[in-house]
Amino acid sequence: MEIKGKTVIVTGAARGIGRGIAEAFAAEGANVVAADLGSLAAKAAGDWNYALAAEAELAGVASEIGERGGSCAALEVDVADRASCQRLVEHTIEEFGRLDVIVNNAGIVQSGLVADFAESDWDRIFAVNVKGIFLMSQAALPHLQQAGGVIINIASVAGKRGYSRMGAYCASKFAAIGLTQSMAAELAEYSIRVNAICPGNIDTSMWFDHLSKSALRQRQYGTKSVDDTFAAVIDDLVPLGRAQTPADIAEAALYLTRAQNVTGISLNVAGGFEMN
Ligand code: NAP
């Protein structure tokens, strides 16, 4: 699909990978809807184990893209809420008149042993990481069917093999890949392509505010700080020897949008991490 002039929704776009994807599509001439919890954060979830994106961060994405000459609207969504997903799609159509691509990027993590993992944390991870993809895709489908559109789900290398203390997250990302394949099979007749991207390790809030601290607590690497732990993981486990960046994941999203004969795949962008 030619990207210029198309409309793209990116969820979880206030920061991290989603923000990088929103910036990349805008740079290619797309009309981008950067969607995130914004002021809905308090209602959606209450506290989580690491800080949620601030309302100002979401507005900042749209204004920075605008300053660079791009087209971007910042809209609020809670992907775990059906009505909220439907409102997001309606507002997108009001703003830009069409919808061609959705990037289901919003996601949360919590690590911990299955033996004492909180049921409420399990439910919330599945509500965002799995049901969020279902609800956003369902809301978008009537418009994507007209456009022969594209769905891209941000899964993880943790959706391809299990890791200790990552049961809920891994299960949610395996589910995201299964849903990707089922939707790809179902929607091919409408020329809608559905693919997943499986990032490796990126120094976003998810990693620095949670996973590094968790690895530090486990003293897996004998490091003293979260920065050192992240660097040690990359050095130890990534054959290409560097962390991925939001721009790396955005590059894959642009490729999957353009790749007319690719559907149902789960593309690792992990520097070879998955070979461990
Ligand atoms: P991040 O910086 O925490 O970004 C995730 C975004 O999703 C946040 O802006 C968050 O907003 C938003 N979000 C959470 N719950 C939401 C909801 N109910 N509705 C709408 N938005 C919601 O993390 P990231 O690392 O960029 O993660 C992006 C995606 O990549 C996730 O699906 C993640 O699982 C995946 N991933 C990340 C890594 C990595 O190493 N970082 C590796 C593999 C896969 P709030 O902060 O306001 O909640």
Side-chain angles (χ1 to χ4, degrees):
M1 176 190 286
E2 167 68 37
I3 291 171
K4 194 171 167 33
K6 299 298 194 306
T7 302
V8 183
I9 293 177
V10 184
T11 66
R15 64 185 188 188
I17 294 171
R19 183 179 182 131
I21 294 172
E23 289 170 352
F25 274 98
E28 295 290 322
N31 298 310
V32 175
V33 173
D36 210 306
L37 278 170
S39 69
L40 304 176
K43 272 189 251 162
D47 292 335
W48 191 234
N49 67 63
Y50 52 95
L52 300 175
E55 220 175 311
E57 286 180 87
L58 178 57
V61 179
S63 56
E64 276 180 34
I65 287 176
E67 280 161 22
R68 281 184 232 139
S71 166
C72 181
L75 296 176
E76 292 187 341
V77 70
D78 176 1
V79 299
D81 181 289
R82 172 183 296 280
S84 182
C85 294
Q86 282 170 340
R87 269 196 304 278
L88 172 64
V89 170
E90 281 161 22
H91 289 163
T92 299
I93 299 299
E94 281 166 24
E95 183 82 24
F96 294 120
R98 60 184 292 149
L99 176 57
D100 303 277
V101 180
I102 60 168
V103 183
N104 290 310
N105 165 77
I108 56 174
V109 71
Q110 166 74 289
S111 58
L113 296 171
V114 170
D116 54 16
F117 201 79
E119 185 180 343
S120 55
D121 287 347
W122 175 280
D123 287 345
R124 186 159 161 202
I125 286 172
F126 270 75
V128 177
N129 296 6
V130 186
K131 194 164 98 171
I133 295 176
F134 162 66
L135 292 177
M136 272 305 303
S137 301
Q138 219 175 38
L141 271 176
H143 303 282
L144 295 181
Q145 279 173 359
Q146 291 166 25
V150 171
I151 299 175
I152 297 171
N153 300 321
I154 306 302
S156 172
V157 286
K160 292 194 171 171
R161 58 156 279 200
Y163 294 88
S164 171
R165 294 173 182 264
M166 295 295 285
Y169 185 75
C170 286
S172 76
K173 294 301 186 179
F174 270 73
I177 290 175
L179 183 54
T180 298
Q181 291 182 2
S182 290
M183 289 199 295
E186 263 177 45
L187 297 172
E189 68 175 291
Y190 304 103
S191 299
I192 296 173
R193 293 182 298 103
V194 188
N195 293 292
I197 299 172
C198 297
N201 298 281
I202 297 157
D203 62 352
T204 61
S205 300
M206 184 173 280
W207 235 109
F208 266 74
D209 297 342
H210 179 67
L211 292 173
S212 273
K213 286 178 188 160
S214 167
L216 193 59
R217 269 199 304 276
Q218 292 170 51
R219 304 205 175 282
Q220 282 167 321
Y221 287 98
T223 47
K224 291 198 168 57
S225 71
V226 291
D227 286 5
D228 290 348
T229 306
F230 186 73
V233 169
I234 301 305
D235 192 43
D236 185 28
L237 298 177
V238 182
L240 285 181
R242 71 166 181 87
Q244 288 72 64
T245 64
D248 292 331
I249 310 307
E251 188 64 32
L254 294 176
Y255 161 72
L256 289 173
T257 302
R258 294 187 172 117
Q260 293 293 4
N261 209 11
V262 177
T263 197
I265 71 161
S266 305
L267 178 62
N268 293 337
V269 183
F273 177 76
E274 70 278 8
M275 290 187 284
N276 285 290

